[in-house]
Amino acid sequence: LVRAIVAQHLAASDDLDVPRLLEYTRRACPALPAETADRTTLTILCSFPQFASQKKKRSPAKPAPRLSDAPAAAASTPSRLDSCSARNKDKWSCQEIRLLEHYAQLTNATKNWRYFSNLLGTNPMTQVIIVGLVCFLCPGLYNALNGMGGGGQLDPTANNNANTALYSTFVIFGIAGGAIVNLCGVRWTIAVSGMAYALYSASYIYLNHSKNSAFTIASGALLGMGAGILWAAQGMIMVSYPSEQEKGKYIAVMWALLNSGGTLGGIILFAINYHSETDSLADGVYVVFVVLECIGALLGLALAPPAKVVRADGSSVVLVKYTNAGKEAIGILKLFIDPMMLGLLPMCFTSNFFYTYQFNNINGALFNLRTRGFNNMFYWSTQAGASAVFSILLDNQRLTRRMRGLISFGIVFVIFNAIWGGSLALHNKYPNGIESGERLDFKDSKRAAGPIILYMVCGIGDAIFQNLAYWVIGALTNDNQKLSRYAGFYKGMQSLGAAVAWQLDIKVKPLNQLIGNWALFGVSLPSMLYVIWSIKNHSEDAVLSSAKFDDTDPKHSAESVALTPEYTV
């Protein structure tokens, strides 16, 4: 295994990169002690023709240096060949000492390079923030618009049909999104997918004037394609770039930025419609959303090539490059027989199902236009705060990962039962909604305070449910290959549930929708608990792949160098 890795590394690189090579072999052989893996790598490297032909000179034996002290040992080693120790089980060969010297030089150079690379934004947190800003301005504003109930229209029928079309295509492209991202890279897939959000918002301007929903429904279907790919890329970056100890924090940062977009959209909607007497949004609101979403899409081009992303501990973030679409298709099909994914299937299906009831039958049916915007500000802002607090639990190193998962599961159980119990009480108070012109206003605190607080708690529940889902997915493996597919599977099955929910809103009474949501949540609990119970304290999967190169380099237009057949591992 190590010989294959060394051969592939030498074939793929013009310059020997010892630190990265040692990192690859450590991750490929997790059962070996780090020093054993490093010594094996260096020994095998010295056996290759370009190193084996070098003349060895021996000197009296001296204690072997520890690999953990390799940079210091190499830096203090004289350059004369007669200072090299004889190679045996306890000592280093001349070639190995030369490699250690090279390692020390690279380490010193890497310190300076890493300082400037951090300024240029190639550390994982910066990359997650960039993707978060894309989500802030694209999915975030979409959430604000959708959260108005009916997409800001008095009649929600067009919005319901558009969302059905959206989530129907989302199912397919969500599941296939991981493969598309692996084949095409993250930069252009995110940028192009973001433009679909702008098209969707623009379609409502046409709807305002023509009253023809065909373009809105078609743009919803296109948005489902783009969103499936974007969310697969976002999910993979969010859970594969951080180390195991920081996944909760990275998820919280991403979720806070995403929901800050919803908060901004709520502020815009509230401010523009403060004096409005109608229950539908004007063209100007949609124009503002279109401009901001275009800016968000273009931010995707600011992402660094993954091969240049380096974690704080010096380890590289390497994405897997697949050799062909056939292997991708096989990998996708295997998701449907993966016990962990089957266990998460009910949770995935349920995770966006409740949006329809909360947006249309609480916010859309009970409040006037400006209060719907007011509610959105707090629905999405409380999600950002809840994510930050929840991440403290998810990353608490004093608890095992299983224990963190179980405690989080208990919190989700309590909060969602409180949400549906409160929703049932609110429905009993307003079984048929409230007629236009008499709907609740935020200034009427006596009538509106309770429903507004319930809607805010719905936002908190959504945040911790989604954070737990992504954290569980990230805890199952460290393998980028699996994580990209898992994220796509999660969003695809989530979208299947949403597509069903938006169509049911047209045909099913609100009370039956509420009961259905509560029942689905209960059904998802046993299998969710099984997956959480199966989580180990450390994911043993190693990430072994050809490193992705700068996708602006014509020599590497495919963004990676494939393993040659004789060295494919």
Side-chain angles (χ1 to χ4, degrees):
L1 175 64
V2 173
R3 180 171 293 278
I5 297 170
V6 172
Q8 185 270 334
H9 184 85
L10 293 175
S13 305
D14 295 330
D15 298 321
L16 178 63
D17 190 342
V18 176
R20 175 166 287 187
L21 179 58
L22 294 177
E23 178 195 341
Y24 281 175
T25 53
R26 284 184 182 186
R27 297 165 89 179
C29 308
L32 288 179
E35 184 170 347
T36 303
D38 290 348
R39 181 184 291 277
T40 304
T41 303
L42 292 172
T43 302
I44 290 176
L45 184 60
C46 291
S47 71
F48 275 72
Q50 53 264 58
F51 300 106
S53 61
Q54 297 183 31
K55 182 180 179 181
K56 303 179 201 173
K57 295 186 179 180
R58 303 179 183 275
S59 63
K62 59 182 179 180
R66 291 174 55 84
L67 265 179
S68 57
D69 300 323
S76 62
T77 302
S79 59
R80 301 190 311 275
L81 287 178
D82 59 4
S83 68
C84 296
S85 60
R87 180 169 62 181
N88 55 47
K89 65 178 181 179
D90 297 318
K91 301 173 180 64
W92 300 103
S93 70
C94 297
Q95 289 95 329
E96 289 168 342
I97 291 295
R98 289 195 191 94
L99 292 173
L100 289 174
E101 289 173 340
H102 183 55
Y103 181 98
Q105 294 169 359
L106 285 174
T107 301
N108 292 331
T110 301
K111 290 179 180 177
N112 295 328
W113 176 84
R114 190 172 297 140
Y115 172 76
F116 290 107
S117 72
N118 286 338
L119 293 180
L120 295 173
T122 56
N123 61 315
M125 180 57 78
T126 303
Q127 298 304 295
V128 169
I129 289 174
I130 292 173
V131 176
L133 291 174
V134 175
C135 293
F136 171 84
L137 292 171
C138 293
L141 293 180
Y142 163 81
N143 284 342
L145 187 62
N146 226 27
M148 290 291 291
Q153 300 291 308
L154 179 61
D155 182 2
T157 303
N159 177 255
N160 286 344
N161 288 329
N163 276 314
T164 300
L166 188 161
Y167 286 108
S168 296
T169 55
F170 202 149
V171 174
I172 300 170
F173 282 84
I175 295 172
I180 294 171
V181 171
N182 288 330
L183 291 168
C184 302
V186 297
R187 300 169 77 182
W188 286 100
T189 51
I190 287 179
V192 174
S193 297
M195 287 296 178
Y197 286 89
L199 178 66
Y200 179 77
S201 296
S203 71
Y204 281 95
I205 301 175
Y206 177 78
L207 179 63
N208 272 348
H209 293 275
S210 68
K211 305 303 178 184
N212 185 341
S213 62
F215 180 45
T216 303
I217 295 172
S219 65
L222 290 173
L223 176 56
M225 300 176 189
I229 299 169
L230 185 147
W231 280 99
Q234 175 265 358
M236 179 271 297
I237 290 173
M238 180 175 65
V239 297
S240 68
Y241 276 26
S243 61
E244 285 187 353
Q245 295 78 19
E246 297 182 309
K247 290 192 177 185
K249 179 175 72 174
Y250 277 62
I251 293 170
V253 168
M254 176 68 73
W255 212 252
L257 287 170
L258 167 67
N259 293 305
S260 295
T263 304
L264 173 64
I267 293 171
I268 293 171
L269 294 168
F270 176 66
I272 293 177
N273 296 288
Y274 188 83
H275 298 291
S276 174
E277 299 296 330
T278 69
D279 278 326
S280 294
L281 295 178
D283 291 352
V285 179
Y286 293 114
V287 169
V288 172
F289 275 49
V290 169
V291 172
L292 292 175
E293 286 163 346
C294 287
I295 294 172
L298 294 175
L299 282 175
L301 299 177
L303 287 166
K308 294 185 178 180
V309 180
V310 180
R311 298 188 182 98
D313 62 3
S315 60
S316 300
V317 173
V318 182
L319 295 180
V320 175
K321 174 65 181 180
Y322 300 95
T323 54
N324 56 59
K327 290 185 178 180
E328 289 290 344
I330 294 172
I332 291 172
L333 292 175
K334 286 182 178 179
L335 291 173
F336 294 93
I337 58 173
D338 186 323
M340 294 297 102
M341 288 297 99
L342 293 177
L344 292 177
L345 182 57
M347 181 191 73
C348 298
F349 188 85
T350 307
S351 58
N352 267 12
F353 198 91
F354 50 78
Y355 276 176
T356 306
Y357 182 84
Q358 292 174 358
F359 292 164
N360 281 4
N361 296 302
I362 297 180
N363 201 32
L366 302 181
F367 299 97
N368 62 22
L369 189 62
R370 69 178 183 180
T371 306
R372 282 145 66 184
F374 177 84
N375 289 345
N376 270 344
M377 287 191 296
F378 291 99
Y379 182 90
W380 300 113
S381 62
T382 54
Q383 289 210 28
S387 298
V389 174
F390 205 54
S391 70
I392 297 173
L393 170 60
L394 295 177
D395 285 341
N396 190 332
Q397 300 303 305
R398 290 177 293 181
L399 302 172
T400 65
R401 289 209 292 186
R402 179 185 293 171
M403 182 58 65
R404 284 176 260 162
L406 292 174
I407 294 172
S408 302
F409 174 85
I411 294 172
V412 169
F413 175 83
V414 170
I415 289 182
F416 264 84
N417 278 292
I419 287 171
W420 294 123
S423 298
L424 181 60
L426 184 62
H427 173 82
N428 290 336
K429 187 174 182 178
Y430 303 106
N432 299 312
I434 302 176
E435 293 295 325
S436 179
E438 299 178 3
R439 292 183 175 177
L440 302 177
D441 186 84
F442 75 98
K443 288 186 175 181
D444 185 3
S445 58
K446 186 175 180 179
R447 296 175 63 215
I452 289 174
I453 292 172
L454 174 63
Y455 195 64
M456 289 170 56
V457 175
C458 289
I460 294 172
D462 180 33
I464 63 174
F465 193 98
Q466 306 289 346
N467 275 248
L468 176 61
Y470 275 115
W471 181 84
V472 169
I473 290 171
L476 294 176
T477 179
N478 290 325
D479 187 339
N480 289 291
Q481 172 186 6
K482 291 182 180 178
L483 286 173
S484 62
R485 289 172 178 165
Y486 284 179
F489 181 87
Y490 172 67
K491 296 303 295 186
M493 294 299 100
Q494 181 186 74
S495 301
L496 177 61
V500 173
W502 286 107
Q503 232 4 255
L504 289 178
D505 189 57
I506 301 174
K507 303 173 182 178
V508 178
K509 293 180 179 180
L511 177 60
N512 293 335
Q513 291 184 51
L514 191 158
I515 294 172
N517 272 283
W518 205 344
L520 278 173
F521 174 71
V523 168
S524 71
L525 294 177
S527 59
M528 189 193 313
L529 183 61
Y530 164 75
V531 175
I532 292 174
W533 187 261
S534 303
I535 292 174
K536 298 178 181 179
N537 205 42
H538 175 68
S539 300
E540 298 296 339
D541 314 56
V543 179
L544 175 60
S545 70
S546 180
K548 281 199 159 194
F549 290 83
D550 187 344
D551 54 4
T552 61
D553 186 349
K555 294 193 301 178
H556 306 296
S557 59
E559 295 193 329
S560 73
V561 176
L563 291 169
T564 56
E566 61 269 29
Y567 294 120
T568 299
V569 181

